Amino acid sequence: MHSVPLWQFPARALVLYLIVMIALRIMGKREIGQLSVFDLVVSVMMAELSTLPMEDRRVPIYEAAISIASLVLFQVAVAFLQIKSHRFRHLIDGEPSVLIEHGRIQDREMRRIRYSVHDLLTQLREKGVANVADVEFAILETSGQLSVIPKAEARPLTPRDLGKPVAAEAIPWPLVIDGRPVPKTLTIIGRDEVWLRDELRHRGYTLENVFYATIDADGSIWIDERDQI
């Protein structure tokens, strides 16, 4: 085995890290718990391929990069086919399973997918449901997550149930992050840093003492002060 200078190890790790990060970004934004079986297999194979150049210094990085790129292209092609064909999507991901229907556990379906009552009760508790009788439908998604739809009488009251109109909500924009203004937000609301400093000063703060601040659609500013060291 030929020797490789020590400085190449961190360089190889950095290059492989960038390759895998770019590959995962191309594959899409899904959490680990939401990965399909196919996505999980591709991710595991990418991890194995990225370790080869680190374990065996005779393996060139470009070979691992070509293999990872091929997997990504394959995954993108499969994802495109899943969008176009329901039959192909069913073949790759399978179909969701209804485990509770109208408050009754579907034990035959649970036996078919080898899913125990303990697993069901655990996931129901994680969703904040203690009584199976309160569940209208519980569906095991292809990602392994359990979707729970409570019965109408067990759901919390909403303004719609009470017939009360409510105003539409909007996500507050970040105004200050770690003592620094967010230029994009200031541009959106048509203000500048001078205005921001004046608003903070009127509330008894300085920009440097604010850790995080937001502004909502009606102009209300929420401020989280930086902790004193």
Side-chain angles (χ1 to χ4, degrees):
M1 182 181 296
H2 64 282
S3 61
V4 176
L6 291 177
W7 64 266
Q8 286 195 15
F9 285 97
R12 282 180 166 229
L14 177 61
V15 172
L16 290 168
Y17 168 77
L18 293 175
I19 291 173
V20 173
M21 183 178 65
I22 293 171
L24 292 175
R25 288 295 301 270
I26 294 174
M27 286 173 59
K29 297 181 178 179
R30 287 206 278 185
E31 298 178 2
I32 296 299
Q34 297 176 330
L35 293 179
S36 66
V37 174
F38 178 76
D39 293 332
L40 183 60
V41 170
V42 170
S43 299
V44 171
M45 293 181 66
M46 285 175 51
E48 291 293 331
L49 288 171
S50 63
T51 58
L52 286 177
M54 300 300 297
E55 295 177 348
D56 189 349
R57 290 171 290 179
R58 294 171 298 182
V59 177
I61 291 181
Y62 72 85
E63 291 185 1
I66 292 174
S67 299
I68 292 174
S70 300
L71 279 176
V72 171
L73 290 176
F74 184 47
Q75 191 274 342
V76 171
V78 169
F80 179 77
L81 290 174
Q82 286 179 308
I83 294 174
K84 294 297 183 180
S85 172
H86 175 77
R87 181 176 297 179
F88 183 78
R89 183 170 62 251
H90 172 73
L91 179 65
I92 296 296
D93 289 341
E95 291 288 342
S97 299
V98 178
L99 303 184
I100 299 178
E101 186 173 0
H102 304 305
R104 296 184 62 85
I105 298 176
Q106 306 300 302
D107 51 289
R108 180 180 300 176
E109 178 67 12
M110 291 178 61
R111 284 195 300 269
R112 186 184 70 83
I113 63 175
R114 298 177 300 280
Y115 191 87
S116 69
V117 175
H118 174 75
D119 295 331
L120 176 62
L121 296 179
T122 298
Q123 290 200 280
L124 285 176
R125 289 194 296 269
E126 290 175 351
K127 296 291 184 179
V129 178
N131 192 350
V132 175
D134 292 335
V135 178
E136 190 72 40
F137 291 99
I139 303 170
L140 185 66
E141 308 293 352
T142 56
S143 63
Q145 299 290 323
L146 188 70
S147 299
V148 180
I149 303 174
K151 290 185 176 180
E153 60 269 21
R155 298 174 193 169
L157 285 176
T158 65
R160 176 185 295 179
D161 296 327
L162 300 176
K164 294 184 177 181
V166 294
E169 294 184 350
I171 299 176
W173 296 306
L175 197 57
V176 178
I177 297 178
D178 199 9
R180 297 182 180 180
V182 181
K184 184 177 180 180
T185 300
L186 292 175
T187 301
I188 291 174
I189 64 177
R191 301 291 186 175
D192 55 19
E193 187 175 332
V194 175
W195 169 85
L196 175 59
R197 289 183 178 273
D198 288 340
E199 289 294 321
L200 294 177
R201 186 171 62 252
H202 292 158
R203 291 167 172 79
Y205 300 96
T206 63
L207 182 59
E208 293 72 21
N209 291 335
V210 175
F211 180 73
Y212 184 66
T214 61
I215 184 169
D216 57 23
D218 62 4
S220 299
I221 297 177
W222 179 84
I223 299 172
D224 179 67
E225 189 176 7
R226 187 190 298 275
D227 293 339
Q228 299 297 325
I229 299 177

